[in-house]
């Protein structure tokens, strides 16, 4: 089976869509960046660098230090149950998609970030 084209898509080309989604629902760039940082470990400077360098999703997640609670992100995204995805990279991308959806829906940040 061929790899999905999203793997070699620059993160910078999708980030504006994430931002538009959360802003359209009355949320902020800061909230979006908070969930990206929580998932990947990238601070604002590292995130800005990945955006400027047009890092692919493959390299973006290869450089990330995934949060130890990331496996707690479950549910359905694009009709597929996240926890049933076999490809680790696709699962990580879908983790991010799910977090963005939760921010856009106004879920409390403590729940989005899987904290007590």
């Amino acid at each position: 089976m061929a790899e999905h084209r999203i793997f070699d898509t620059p993160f910078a080309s999708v980030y504006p869509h994430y931002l538009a989604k959360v802003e359209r629902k009355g949320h902020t760039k800061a909230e979006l960046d908070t969930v990206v940082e929580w998932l990947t470990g990238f601070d604002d400077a590292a995130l800005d660098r990945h955006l400027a360098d047009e890092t692919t999703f493959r390299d973006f997640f290869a450089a990330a230090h995934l949060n130890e609670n990331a496996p707690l992100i479950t549910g359905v995204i694009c009709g597929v149950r996240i926890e049933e995805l076999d490809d680790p990279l696709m699962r990580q991308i879908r983790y991010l998609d799910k977090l963005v959806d939760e921010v856009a829906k106004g879920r409390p940040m403590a729940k989005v970030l899987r904290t007590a």
Side-chain angles (χ1 to χ4, degrees):
M1 187 168 118
E3 287 192 335
H4 199 283
R5 67 182 181 154
I6 191 72
F7 296 171
D8 294 315
T9 300
F11 176 72
S13 69
V14 178
Y15 181 84
H17 298 284
Y18 290 151
L19 182 57
K21 182 175 193 167
V22 299
E23 287 181 339
R24 191 170 50 247
K25 299 289 186 164
H27 299 281
T28 66
K29 179 182 185 301
E31 290 172 294
L32 173 61
D33 291 352
T34 297
V35 297
V36 173
E37 180 178 344
W38 177 87
L39 180 62
T40 63
F42 297 139
D43 61 13
D44 288 339
L47 179 58
D48 289 344
R49 197 168 41 256
H50 283 291
L51 291 169
D53 293 347
E54 296 197 4
T55 306
T56 65
F57 271 99
R58 181 187 318 277
D59 294 337
F60 182 77
F61 279 106
H65 298 287
L66 217 60
N67 189 293
E68 63 185 16
N69 288 333
L72 298 176
I73 303 168
T74 60
V76 176
I77 196 88
C78 297
V80 177
R81 188 154 283 288
I82 295 170
E83 55 272 28
E84 294 175 359
L85 288 167
D86 291 328
D87 187 291
L89 178 55
M90 183 59 80
R91 190 175 322 111
Q92 293 167 354
I93 294 168
R94 294 307 184 190
Y95 284 160
L96 182 55
D97 291 343
K98 185 71 171 176
L99 293 175
V100 171
D101 281 355
E102 290 176 355
V103 168
K105 289 178 182 174
R107 189 168 192 214
M109 195 58 76
K111 289 190 179 202
V112 173
L113 301 181
R114 279 41 180 193
T115 57

